[in-house]
Amino acid sequence: ELKVEQNPLFLSMQEGKNYTIYCNYSTTSDRLYWYRQDPGKSLESLFVLLSNGAVKQEGRLMASLDTKARLSTLHITAAVHDLSATYFCAVAPHSGGGADGLTFGKGTHLIIQP
Amino acid sequence: DAGVIQSPRHEVTEMGQEVTLRCKPISGHDYLFWYRQTMMRGLELLIYFNNNVPIDDSGMPEDRFSAKMPNASFSTLKIQPSEPRDSAVYFCASSLARVLLSSGNTIYFGEGSWLTVV
């Protein structure tokens, strides 16, 4: 059974600081997703990481994937209040690009304070 | 594109009643997924379809839950009879075919149906 673990689950940080969210998964996969969810809202896709060493950046967020370590990171640079949300990583259970349902981590509830 | 459309957005029902949640996937998408989100269990995959055919329903919690996809543009998730522990947000999501997912396309989520069973 595929397990996806995120840490930390809760994070309170100040504006302007940097931090990293970690996502570990238990079985081989080469497709990893990061989603953002605002309270009471749907999930918004942030990044899709497809291969070992993949790095993607959008604004103050940067995601990377190490398939050998089964680890992805979401790095926040110079945080701003608008980035407050819950961030989920999700892993496809089969290597090779299958469209099977994703397994999600528990999410990281991020609060950025002025 | 209108995105994945779900209805109702909110429903409050009494224990024992039948609940039907509806989903219209993004036009042209081959895969449709139903997820449930609760504080305790997070996001759980209930069932998914490929070209209207159920592929994996191992996440459906009990026989009280059933899902159908009669055509490419419509799916339902039914709970009969409903119980208070079914209270959750139910998300429908859709995506393109397998080969395009390998190219980096993502899975798109609807706004969710907030279900409260009292």
Coordinates of all heavy atoms in Angstrom, one line a residue, chain B residues 6-99:
Chain B
Q6 N -19.7 20.4 -9.8 CA -20.3 19.5 -8.8 C -21.6 20.1 -8.3 O -21.7 21.3 -8.1 CB -19.4 19.1 -7.7 CG -18.2 18.3 -8.0 CD -17.4 17.9 -6.8 OE1 -16.2 18.3 -6.7 NE2 -18.0 17.1 -5.9
S7 N -22.6 19.2 -8.0 CA -23.8 19.7 -7.3 C -24.3 18.6 -6.4 O -24.0 17.4 -6.7 CB -24.8 20.1 -8.3 OG -25.2 19.0 -9.1
P8 N -25.0 18.9 -5.3 CA -25.1 20.2 -4.8 C -23.8 20.7 -4.1 O -22.9 19.9 -3.8 CB -26.2 20.1 -3.7 CG -26.0 18.7 -3.2 CD -25.6 17.9 -4.4
R9 N -23.6 21.9 -3.9 CA -22.4 22.4 -3.2 C -22.5 22.1 -1.7 O -21.5 21.8 -1.0 CB -22.3 23.9 -3.4 CG -21.9 24.3 -4.8 CD -20.5 23.8 -5.2 NE -19.5 24.0 -4.2 CZ -18.8 25.1 -3.9 NH1 -19.1 26.1 -4.6 NH2 -17.9 25.1 -2.9
H10 N -23.7 22.2 -1.1 CA -24.0 21.9 0.3 C -25.2 21.1 0.4 O -26.2 21.4 -0.3 CB -24.1 23.2 1.1 CG -22.9 24.1 1.0 ND1 -21.9 24.0 1.9 CD2 -22.6 25.1 0.2 CE1 -20.9 24.9 1.6 NE2 -21.3 25.6 0.6
E11 N -25.2 20.1 1.3 CA -26.4 19.4 1.6 C -26.4 19.0 3.0 O -25.4 18.4 3.5 CB -26.5 18.1 0.7 CG -27.7 17.3 1.0 CD -28.3 16.6 -0.2 OE1 -28.0 17.0 -1.3 OE2 -29.2 15.8 0.0
V12 N -27.5 19.2 3.7 CA -27.8 18.7 5.0 C -28.9 17.7 4.9 O -30.0 18.1 4.4 CB -28.1 19.8 6.0 CG1 -28.3 19.3 7.4 CG2 -26.9 20.9 6.0
T13 N -28.7 16.5 5.5 CA -29.8 15.5 5.4 C -29.9 14.8 6.7 O -28.9 14.8 7.5 CB -29.5 14.6 4.2 OG1 -30.6 13.7 4.0 CG2 -28.3 13.7 4.5
E14 N -31.0 14.1 6.9 CA -31.1 13.3 8.1 C -30.6 11.9 7.9 O -30.7 11.3 6.7 CB -32.6 13.2 8.5 CG -33.1 14.6 9.0 CD -34.6 14.5 9.5 OE1 -35.2 13.5 9.2 OE2 -35.0 15.4 10.1
M15 N -30.1 11.3 8.9 CA -29.6 9.9 8.9 C -30.7 9.0 8.3 O -31.9 9.1 8.6 CB -29.3 9.5 10.3 CG -28.7 8.1 10.4 SD -28.2 7.7 12.1 CE -29.8 7.8 13.0
G16 N -30.3 8.1 7.4 CA -31.2 7.2 6.8 C -31.7 7.6 5.4 O -32.2 6.8 4.7
Q17 N -31.5 8.9 5.1 CA -32.0 9.4 3.8 C -30.9 9.1 2.7 O -29.7 8.9 3.0 CB -32.2 10.9 3.9 CG -33.3 11.3 4.8 CD -34.6 10.8 4.4 OE1 -35.0 11.0 3.3 NE2 -35.3 10.1 5.3
E18 N -31.4 9.0 1.5 CA -30.5 8.8 0.4 C -29.9 10.2 -0.1 O -30.6 11.2 -0.1 CB -31.3 8.2 -0.8 CG -30.5 8.0 -2.1 CD -31.3 7.4 -3.2 OE1 -31.7 6.2 -3.0 OE2 -31.6 8.1 -4.2
V19 N -28.7 10.1 -0.4 CA -27.9 11.3 -0.9 C -27.4 11.0 -2.3 O -26.8 9.9 -2.5 CB -26.8 11.7 0.1 CG1 -26.0 12.8 -0.5 CG2 -27.4 12.0 1.4
T20 N -27.6 11.9 -3.2 CA -27.0 11.8 -4.5 C -26.1 13.0 -4.8 O -26.7 14.1 -4.9 CB -28.0 11.6 -5.6 OG1 -28.8 10.4 -5.3 CG2 -27.4 11.4 -7.0
L21 N -24.9 12.8 -5.1 CA -24.0 13.8 -5.5 C -23.7 13.7 -7.0 O -23.5 12.6 -7.5 CB -22.7 13.7 -4.7 CG -22.8 13.7 -3.2 CD1 -21.5 13.5 -2.5 CD2 -23.6 14.9 -2.6
R22 N -23.5 14.8 -7.6 CA -23.4 14.8 -9.1 C -22.1 15.5 -9.6 O -21.7 16.4 -8.9 CB -24.6 15.5 -9.7 CG -25.9 14.8 -9.4 CD -27.1 15.6 -9.9 NE -28.4 14.9 -9.6 CZ -29.0 14.8 -8.4 NH1 -28.5 15.5 -7.4 NH2 -30.1 14.2 -8.3
C23 N -21.7 15.1 -10.7 CA -20.4 15.6 -11.2 C -20.4 15.7 -12.7 O -20.8 14.7 -13.4 CB -19.2 14.8 -10.7 SG -17.6 15.3 -11.4
K24 N -20.0 16.8 -13.3 CA -19.8 16.9 -14.7 C -18.3 17.2 -14.9 O -17.8 18.2 -14.5 CB -20.6 18.1 -15.3 CG -20.3 18.4 -16.7 CD -21.2 19.5 -17.2 CE -20.8 20.0 -18.6 NZ -20.7 19.0 -19.6
P25 N -17.6 16.2 -15.5 CA -16.1 16.4 -15.7 C -15.8 17.4 -16.8 O -16.7 17.9 -17.5 CB -15.6 15.0 -16.1 CG -16.8 14.4 -16.8 CD -18.0 15.0 -16.1
I26 N -14.6 17.8 -16.9 CA -14.1 18.7 -18.0 C -14.3 17.9 -19.3 O -13.9 16.8 -19.4 CB -12.7 19.1 -17.8 CG1 -12.6 20.0 -16.5 CG2 -12.1 19.9 -19.0 CD1 -11.2 20.4 -16.1
S27 N -14.9 18.6 -20.3 CA -15.1 18.0 -21.6 C -13.8 17.5 -22.2 O -12.8 18.1 -22.2 CB -15.7 19.1 -22.5 OG -15.9 18.5 -23.8
G28 N -13.9 16.2 -22.6 CA -12.7 15.6 -23.2 C -11.8 14.8 -22.3 O -10.9 14.1 -22.8
H29 N -12.1 14.9 -21.0 CA -11.3 14.1 -20.1 C -11.8 12.7 -20.0 O -13.0 12.4 -20.0 CB -11.4 14.8 -18.7 CG -10.5 15.9 -18.5 ND1 -10.2 16.5 -17.3 CD2 -9.8 16.6 -19.4 CE1 -9.4 17.5 -17.5 NE2 -9.1 17.6 -18.8
D30 N -10.8 11.8 -19.9 CA -11.1 10.4 -20.0 C -11.3 9.7 -18.6 O -11.8 8.7 -18.5 CB -10.0 9.6 -20.7 CG -9.8 10.1 -22.1 OD1 -10.4 9.7 -23.0 OD2 -8.9 11.0 -22.2
Y31 N -10.7 10.4 -17.6 CA -10.7 9.8 -16.3 C -11.6 10.7 -15.3 O -11.5 11.9 -15.4 CB -9.3 9.7 -15.7 CG -8.5 8.6 -16.3 CD1 -7.8 8.7 -17.5 CD2 -8.4 7.4 -15.6 CE1 -7.1 7.7 -18.1 CE2 -7.7 6.3 -16.2 CZ -7.0 6.5 -17.4 OH -6.3 5.4 -17.9
L32 N -12.3 10.0 -14.4 CA -13.1 10.7 -13.4 C -12.8 10.0 -12.1 O -12.9 8.8 -12.0 CB -14.6 10.7 -13.8 CG -15.5 11.5 -12.8 CD1 -16.5 12.3 -13.6 CD2 -16.1 10.6 -11.8
F33 N -12.6 10.9 -11.1 CA -12.3 10.4 -9.7 C -13.3 10.9 -8.7 O -13.7 12.1 -8.8 CB -10.9 10.8 -9.3 CG -9.8 10.5 -10.3 CD1 -9.5 11.3 -11.4 CD2 -9.0 9.3 -10.2 CE1 -8.5 11.0 -12.3 CE2 -8.0 9.0 -11.1 CZ -7.8 9.8 -12.1
W34 N -13.6 10.1 -7.7 CA -14.4 10.6 -6.6 C -13.5 10.5 -5.3 O -13.0 9.4 -5.0 CB -15.6 9.8 -6.4 CG -16.8 10.2 -7.3 CD1 -17.2 9.5 -8.4 CD2 -17.7 11.3 -7.1 NE1 -18.2 10.2 -9.0 CE2 -18.6 11.3 -8.2 CE3 -17.8 12.3 -6.2 CZ2 -19.6 12.2 -8.4 CZ3 -18.8 13.3 -6.4 CH2 -19.7 13.2 -7.4
Y35 N -13.3 11.6 -4.6 CA -12.5 11.6 -3.4 C -13.4 12.1 -2.3 O -14.4 12.8 -2.5 CB -11.3 12.6 -3.5 CG -10.2 12.1 -4.3 CD1 -10.1 12.3 -5.6 CD2 -9.1 11.5 -3.6 CE1 -9.0 11.8 -6.3 CE2 -8.0 11.0 -4.3 CZ -7.9 11.2 -5.7 OH -6.8 10.8 -6.3
R36 N -13.1 11.7 -1.0 CA -13.7 12.2 0.1 C -12.7 12.8 1.1 O -11.6 12.3 1.2 CB -14.4 11.0 0.9 CG -15.1 11.4 2.2 CD -15.9 10.3 2.8 NE -15.1 9.2 3.2 CZ -15.6 8.1 3.8 NH1 -16.9 8.0 4.0 NH2 -14.8 7.1 4.2
Q37 N -13.0 14.0 1.6 CA -12.1 14.7 2.5 C -12.7 14.9 3.9 O -13.8 15.4 4.0 CB -11.6 16.0 2.0 CG -10.6 16.7 2.8 CD -10.1 18.0 2.2 OE1 -10.9 18.7 1.6 NE2 -8.8 18.3 2.3
T38 N -12.0 14.4 4.9 CA -12.4 14.6 6.3 C -11.2 15.0 7.1 O -10.0 14.8 6.7 CB -13.0 13.3 7.0 OG1 -12.0 12.3 7.0 CG2 -14.2 12.8 6.2
M39 N -11.4 15.6 8.2 CA -10.3 16.1 9.1 C -9.5 14.9 9.5 O -8.3 14.9 9.6 CB -10.8 16.9 10.3 CG -11.3 18.3 9.9 SD -10.0 19.3 9.4 CE -9.0 19.5 10.9
M40 N -10.2 13.8 9.9 CA -9.5 12.7 10.5 C -8.7 11.9 9.5 O -7.6 11.4 9.7 CB -10.5 11.8 11.2 CG -11.2 12.4 12.4 SD -9.9 12.7 13.7 CE -9.4 11.0 14.1
R41 N -9.3 11.7 8.3 CA -8.7 10.7 7.3 C -8.1 11.4 6.1 O -7.5 10.8 5.3 CB -9.8 9.7 6.9 CG -10.3 8.9 8.0 CD -11.5 8.0 7.5 NE -11.0 7.0 6.6 CZ -10.6 5.8 7.1 NH1 -10.6 5.5 8.3 NH2 -10.2 4.9 6.2
G42 N -8.2 12.7 6.0 CA -7.6 13.5 4.9 C -8.4 13.2 3.6 O -9.6 12.9 3.6
L43 N -7.7 13.2 2.5 CA -8.3 12.9 1.2 C -8.1 11.4 0.9 O -7.1 10.9 0.8 CB -7.6 13.8 0.1 CG -8.0 15.2 0.0 CD1 -6.9 16.0 -0.6 CD2 -9.3 15.2 -1.0
E44 N -9.3 10.8 0.6 CA -9.3 9.4 0.3 C -9.9 9.2 -1.1 O -11.0 9.8 -1.4 CB -10.2 8.6 1.3 CG -9.8 8.8 2.7 CD -10.8 8.1 3.6 OE1 -11.9 8.7 3.8 OE2 -10.6 6.9 4.0
L45 N -9.3 8.4 -1.9 CA -9.9 8.0 -3.2 C -10.9 7.0 -3.0 O -10.7 5.9 -2.4 CB -8.8 7.5 -4.1 CG -9.2 7.0 -5.5 CD1 -9.8 8.1 -6.3 CD2 -8.1 6.3 -6.2
L46 N -12.1 7.3 -3.5 CA -13.2 6.3 -3.3 C -13.3 5.4 -4.5 O -13.4 4.2 -4.4 CB -14.6 7.1 -3.2 CG -14.6 8.0 -2.0 CD1 -16.0 8.7 -2.0 CD2 -14.4 7.2 -0.7
I47 N -13.3 6.0 -5.7 CA -13.5 5.2 -7.0 C -13.0 6.0 -8.1 O -13.0 7.3 -8.0 CB -15.0 4.8 -7.2 CG1 -15.2 3.9 -8.4 CG2 -15.9 6.0 -7.3 CD1 -16.6 3.3 -8.5
Y48 N -12.6 5.4 -9.2 CA -12.4 6.2 -10.4 C -12.8 5.4 -11.7 O -12.9 4.2 -11.7 CB -10.9 6.6 -10.5 CG -9.9 5.7 -10.9 CD1 -9.4 5.5 -12.2 CD2 -9.2 4.9 -9.9 CE1 -8.4 4.6 -12.5 CE2 -8.2 4.0 -10.2 CZ -7.8 3.9 -11.5 OH -6.8 3.0 -11.8
F49 N -13.1 6.1 -12.7 CA -13.6 5.6 -14.0 C -12.6 6.0 -15.1 O -12.0 7.1 -15.1 CB -14.9 6.3 -14.3 CG -16.0 5.9 -13.3 CD1 -16.2 6.6 -12.1 CD2 -17.0 4.9 -13.6 CE1 -17.2 6.4 -11.3 CE2 -18.0 4.7 -12.8 CZ -18.1 5.4 -11.6
N50 N -12.5 5.1 -16.1 CA -11.8 5.4 -17.3 C -12.8 5.2 -18.4 O -13.3 4.1 -18.6 CB -10.6 4.6 -17.5 CG -9.9 4.8 -18.8 OD1 -10.0 5.9 -19.4 ND2 -9.1 3.9 -19.2
N51 N -13.1 6.2 -19.3 CA -14.0 6.0 -20.4 C -15.4 5.4 -19.9 O -15.9 4.5 -20.5 CB -13.4 5.2 -21.5 CG -12.3 5.9 -22.2 OD1 -12.4 7.1 -22.4 ND2 -11.3 5.2 -22.6
N52 N -15.8 6.0 -18.7 CA -17.1 5.6 -18.2 C -17.1 4.3 -17.5 O -18.2 3.9 -16.9 CB -18.3 5.7 -19.2 CG -18.2 6.9 -20.1 OD1 -17.6 7.9 -19.7 ND2 -18.8 6.8 -21.2
V53 N -16.1 3.6 -17.5 CA -16.0 2.2 -16.8 C -15.3 2.3 -15.5 O -14.2 2.9 -15.4 CB -15.3 1.2 -17.7 CG1 -15.1 -0.1 -17.1 CG2 -15.9 1.1 -19.1
P54 N -15.9 1.8 -14.4 CA -15.3 1.8 -13.1 C -14.0 0.9 -13.1 O -14.1 -0.2 -13.5 CB -16.3 1.3 -12.2 CG -17.3 0.5 -13.0 CD -17.3 1.2 -14.4
I55 N -12.9 1.5 -12.7 CA -11.6 0.8 -12.8 C -11.2 0.3 -11.4 O -10.8 -0.9 -11.2 CB -10.5 1.7 -13.3 CG1 -10.8 2.2 -14.7 CG2 -9.2 1.0 -13.3 CD1 -11.1 1.1 -15.7
D56 N -11.4 1.1 -10.4 CA -11.0 0.7 -9.0 C -12.0 1.3 -8.0 O -12.0 2.5 -7.9 CB -9.6 1.2 -8.8 CG -9.1 0.7 -7.4 OD1 -9.8 0.1 -6.6 OD2 -7.9 0.9 -7.1
D57 N -12.7 0.4 -7.4 CA -13.7 0.9 -6.4 C -13.3 0.4 -5.0 O -14.1 0.4 -4.1 CB -15.1 0.5 -6.7 CG -15.3 -1.0 -6.6 OD1 -14.3 -1.7 -6.4 OD2 -16.4 -1.4 -6.8
S58 N -12.0 0.1 -4.8 CA -11.6 -0.5 -3.5 C -11.7 0.5 -2.4 O -11.7 0.2 -1.2 CB -10.2 -1.0 -3.7 OG -9.3 0.0 -4.0
G59 N -11.8 1.8 -2.7 CA -11.9 2.8 -1.7 C -13.3 3.1 -1.2 O -13.5 3.9 -0.3
M60 N -14.3 2.5 -1.9 CA -15.6 2.8 -1.5 C -15.8 2.1 -0.1 O -15.6 0.9 0.0 CB -16.6 2.2 -2.5 CG -16.5 2.8 -3.9 SD -17.3 4.4 -3.9 CE -18.9 4.0 -4.6
P61 N -16.3 2.9 0.9 CA -16.2 2.4 2.3 C -17.2 1.2 2.5 O -16.8 0.3 3.3 CB -16.6 3.6 3.1 CG -17.2 4.6 2.2 CD -16.7 4.3 0.8
E62 N -18.4 1.2 2.0 CA -19.3 0.2 2.3 C -20.3 0.0 1.1 O -20.3 0.9 0.2 CB -20.1 0.5 3.6 CG -19.3 1.1 4.7 CD -20.2 1.5 5.8 OE1 -21.4 1.1 5.9 OE2 -19.7 2.2 6.7
D63 N -21.1 -1.0 1.2 CA -22.1 -1.2 0.2 C -23.2 0.0 0.1 O -23.9 0.1 -0.8 CB -22.9 -2.5 0.4 CG -22.0 -3.7 0.2 OD1 -20.9 -3.5 -0.4 OD2 -22.3 -4.8 0.6
R64 N -23.2 0.8 1.1 CA -24.1 1.9 1.1 C -23.7 2.9 0.1 O -24.5 3.8 -0.3 CB -24.1 2.6 2.5 CG -24.6 1.7 3.6 CD -24.7 2.5 4.9 NE -23.4 3.0 5.4 CZ -23.1 4.2 5.4 NH1 -23.8 5.2 4.9 NH2 -21.9 4.6 5.8
F65 N -22.4 2.9 -0.4 CA -21.9 3.8 -1.4 C -22.0 3.1 -2.7 O -21.5 2.0 -2.9 CB -20.5 4.2 -1.0 CG -20.3 5.1 0.1 CD1 -20.6 4.7 1.4 CD2 -19.9 6.4 -0.1 CE1 -20.5 5.6 2.5 CE2 -19.8 7.3 0.9 CZ -20.1 6.9 2.2
S66 N -22.4 3.9 -3.7 CA -22.4 3.4 -5.1 C -22.1 4.6 -6.0 O -22.5 5.7 -5.7 CB -23.7 2.7 -5.5 OG -24.8 3.6 -5.4
A67 N -21.4 4.3 -7.2 CA -21.1 5.4 -8.1 C -21.4 4.9 -9.5 O -21.2 3.7 -9.8 CB -19.7 5.8 -8.0
K68 N -21.9 5.8 -10.3 CA -22.1 5.4 -11.7 C -21.6 6.5 -12.7 O -21.5 7.7 -12.2 CB -23.7 5.3 -12.0 CG -24.3 4.1 -11.2 CD -25.8 4.0 -11.5 CE -26.4 2.8 -10.8 NZ -27.8 2.7 -11.1
M69 N -21.4 6.1 -13.9 CA -21.0 7.1 -14.9 C -21.7 6.7 -16.2 O -21.1 6.0 -17.0 CB -19.5 7.2 -15.1 CG -19.1 8.4 -15.9 SD -17.3 8.7 -15.8 CE -17.2 10.2 -16.7
P70 N -22.9 7.1 -16.4 CA -23.7 6.7 -17.5 C -23.2 7.2 -18.9 O -23.5 6.6 -19.9 CB -25.1 7.2 -17.2 CG -24.9 8.3 -16.3 CD -23.7 8.0 -15.5
N71 N -22.5 8.3 -18.8 CA -21.9 8.8 -20.1 C -20.7 9.7 -19.7 O -20.4 9.9 -18.6 CB -22.9 9.7 -20.9 CG -23.5 10.8 -20.0 OD1 -22.8 11.7 -19.6 ND2 -24.8 10.7 -19.8
A72 N -20.0 10.2 -20.8 CA -18.7 10.8 -20.6 C -18.9 12.2 -19.8 O -17.9 12.8 -19.4 CB -18.1 11.1 -21.9
S73 N -20.1 12.7 -19.7 CA -20.2 14.0 -19.1 C -21.0 14.0 -17.8 O -21.4 15.1 -17.3 CB -20.9 15.0 -20.1 OG -22.2 14.4 -20.5
F74 N -21.1 12.9 -17.2 CA -22.0 12.9 -16.0 C -21.6 11.7 -15.1 O -21.5 10.5 -15.6 CB -23.4 12.8 -16.3 CG -24.4 12.9 -15.2 CD1 -24.4 14.1 -14.4 CD2 -25.2 11.8 -14.8 CE1 -25.3 14.1 -13.3 CE2 -26.1 11.9 -13.8 CZ -26.1 13.1 -13.0
S75 N -21.5 11.9 -13.8 CA -21.3 10.8 -12.9 C -22.1 11.2 -11.6 O -22.3 12.3 -11.2 CB -19.8 10.7 -12.5 OG -19.6 9.7 -11.5
T76 N -22.5 10.1 -10.9 CA -23.1 10.3 -9.6 C -22.5 9.4 -8.5 O -21.9 8.3 -8.8 CB -24.6 9.9 -9.7 OG1 -24.7 8.5 -10.1 CG2 -25.4 10.8 -10.6
L77 N -22.5 9.9 -7.3 CA -22.1 9.2 -6.1 C -23.3 9.1 -5.2 O -23.8 10.2 -4.8 CB -20.9 9.8 -5.5 CG -20.4 9.1 -4.2 CD1 -19.8 7.8 -4.5 CD2 -19.3 10.0 -3.5
K78 N -23.7 7.9 -4.9 CA -25.0 7.8 -4.1 C -24.6 7.1 -2.7 O -23.8 6.2 -2.7 CB -26.0 7.0 -4.9 CG -27.4 6.9 -4.2 CD -28.4 6.2 -5.1 CE -28.6 7.0 -6.4 NZ -29.7 6.4 -7.2
I79 N -25.3 7.6 -1.7 CA -25.1 7.0 -0.4 C -26.5 6.7 0.1 O -27.4 7.6 0.2 CB -24.5 8.0 0.6 CG1 -23.2 8.6 0.1 CG2 -24.2 7.3 2.0 CD1 -22.5 9.7 0.9
Q80 N -26.8 5.4 0.4 CA -28.1 5.0 0.8 C -28.0 3.8 1.7 O -27.5 2.7 1.2 CB -29.0 4.7 -0.4 CG -30.2 3.9 -0.2 CD -31.2 4.7 0.7 OE1 -31.1 5.9 0.8 NE2 -32.2 3.9 1.2
P81 N -28.4 3.8 2.9 CA -28.8 5.0 3.7 C -27.6 5.8 4.2 O -26.6 5.2 4.5 CB -29.6 4.4 4.8 CG -28.9 3.1 5.1 CD -28.5 2.6 3.7
S82 N -27.8 7.1 4.4 CA -26.7 7.9 4.9 C -26.6 7.8 6.4 O -27.6 7.5 7.1 CB -26.9 9.4 4.4 OG -28.1 9.9 4.9
E83 N -25.4 8.0 6.9 CA -25.1 8.0 8.3 C -24.3 9.2 8.7 O -23.6 9.8 7.8 CB -24.3 6.7 8.7 CG -25.1 5.4 8.4 CD -24.4 4.2 8.9 OE1 -23.2 4.3 9.4 OE2 -24.9 3.1 8.6
P84 N -24.3 9.6 10.0 CA -23.6 10.8 10.4 C -22.1 10.7 10.0 O -21.5 11.7 9.7 CB -23.8 10.9 11.9 CG -25.2 10.3 12.1 CD -25.2 9.2 11.0
R85 N -21.5 9.5 10.1 CA -20.1 9.4 9.8 C -19.7 9.6 8.3 O -18.6 9.6 7.9 CB -19.6 8.0 10.2 CG -20.2 6.8 9.6 CD -19.9 5.6 10.3 NE -20.7 4.4 9.9 CZ -20.2 3.3 9.4 NH1 -19.0 3.2 9.2 NH2 -21.0 2.3 9.1
D86 N -20.8 9.7 7.5 CA -20.6 10.0 6.1 C -20.3 11.5 5.8 O -20.0 12.0 4.7 CB -21.7 9.6 5.2 CG -22.0 8.1 5.4 OD1 -21.0 7.3 5.6 OD2 -23.2 7.7 5.2
S87 N -20.5 12.3 6.9 CA -20.4 13.8 6.7 C -18.9 14.1 6.3 O -18.0 13.6 7.0 CB -20.7 14.5 8.1 OG -22.0 14.3 8.4
A88 N -18.8 14.8 5.2 CA -17.5 15.1 4.7 C -17.6 16.0 3.5 O -18.8 16.4 3.1 CB -16.8 13.7 4.2
V89 N -16.5 16.4 2.9 CA -16.5 17.0 1.6 C -16.2 16.0 0.5 O -15.2 15.3 0.6 CB -15.5 18.2 1.5 CG1 -15.7 18.9 0.2 CG2 -15.7 19.2 2.7
Y90 N -17.0 15.9 -0.5 CA -16.8 14.9 -1.6 C -16.4 15.7 -2.8 O -17.1 16.6 -3.3 CB -18.1 14.1 -1.8 CG -18.4 13.2 -0.7 CD1 -19.1 13.7 0.5 CD2 -18.1 11.9 -0.7 CE1 -19.4 12.8 1.5 CE2 -18.3 11.0 0.4 CZ -19.0 11.5 1.5 OH -19.2 10.7 2.5
F91 N -15.2 15.3 -3.3 CA -14.7 16.0 -4.5 C -14.7 15.1 -5.7 O -14.4 13.9 -5.6 CB -13.2 16.4 -4.2 CG -13.0 17.6 -3.3 CD1 -12.6 17.4 -2.0 CD2 -13.2 18.9 -3.8 CE1 -12.4 18.5 -1.2 CE2 -13.0 20.0 -3.0 CZ -12.6 19.8 -1.7
C92 N -15.1 15.6 -6.8 CA -15.0 15.0 -8.1 C -13.8 15.6 -8.8 O -13.6 16.8 -8.7 CB -16.3 15.1 -8.9 SG -16.2 14.4 -10.5
A93 N -13.0 14.8 -9.5 CA -11.9 15.3 -10.3 C -11.8 14.6 -11.6 O -12.4 13.5 -11.8 CB -10.6 15.0 -9.5
S94 N -11.2 15.2 -12.6 CA -11.1 14.6 -13.9 C -9.7 14.9 -14.5 O -9.0 15.9 -14.1 CB -12.2 15.0 -14.8 OG -12.1 16.4 -15.3
S95 N -9.3 14.1 -15.5 CA -8.0 14.2 -16.1 C -8.1 13.7 -17.5 O -9.0 12.9 -17.9 CB -6.9 13.6 -15.3 OG -7.0 12.2 -15.4
L96 N -7.0 14.0 -18.2 CA -6.9 13.5 -19.6 C -6.4 12.1 -19.6 O -6.1 11.5 -18.5 CB -5.9 14.4 -20.4 CG -6.4 15.8 -20.7 CD1 -5.3 16.7 -21.2 CD2 -7.5 15.7 -21.8
A97 N -6.2 11.5 -20.7 CA -5.8 10.1 -20.8 C -4.4 9.9 -20.3 O -3.6 10.8 -20.1 CB -5.8 9.7 -22.3
R98 N -4.1 8.7 -20.1 CA -2.9 8.2 -19.4 C -1.6 8.8 -20.1 O -0.7 9.3 -19.4 CB -2.8 6.7 -19.5 CG -1.6 6.0 -19.0 CD -1.8 4.5 -19.0 NE -3.0 4.1 -18.2 CZ -3.0 3.0 -17.5 NH1 -1.9 2.3 -17.4 NH2 -4.1 2.7 -16.8
V99 N -1.6 8.7 -21.4 CA -0.4 9.2 -22.1 C -0.1 10.7 -21.9 O 1.0 11.1 -21.7 CB -0.4 8.8 -23.6 CG1 -1.6 9.6 -24.3 CG2 0.9 9.2 -24.2

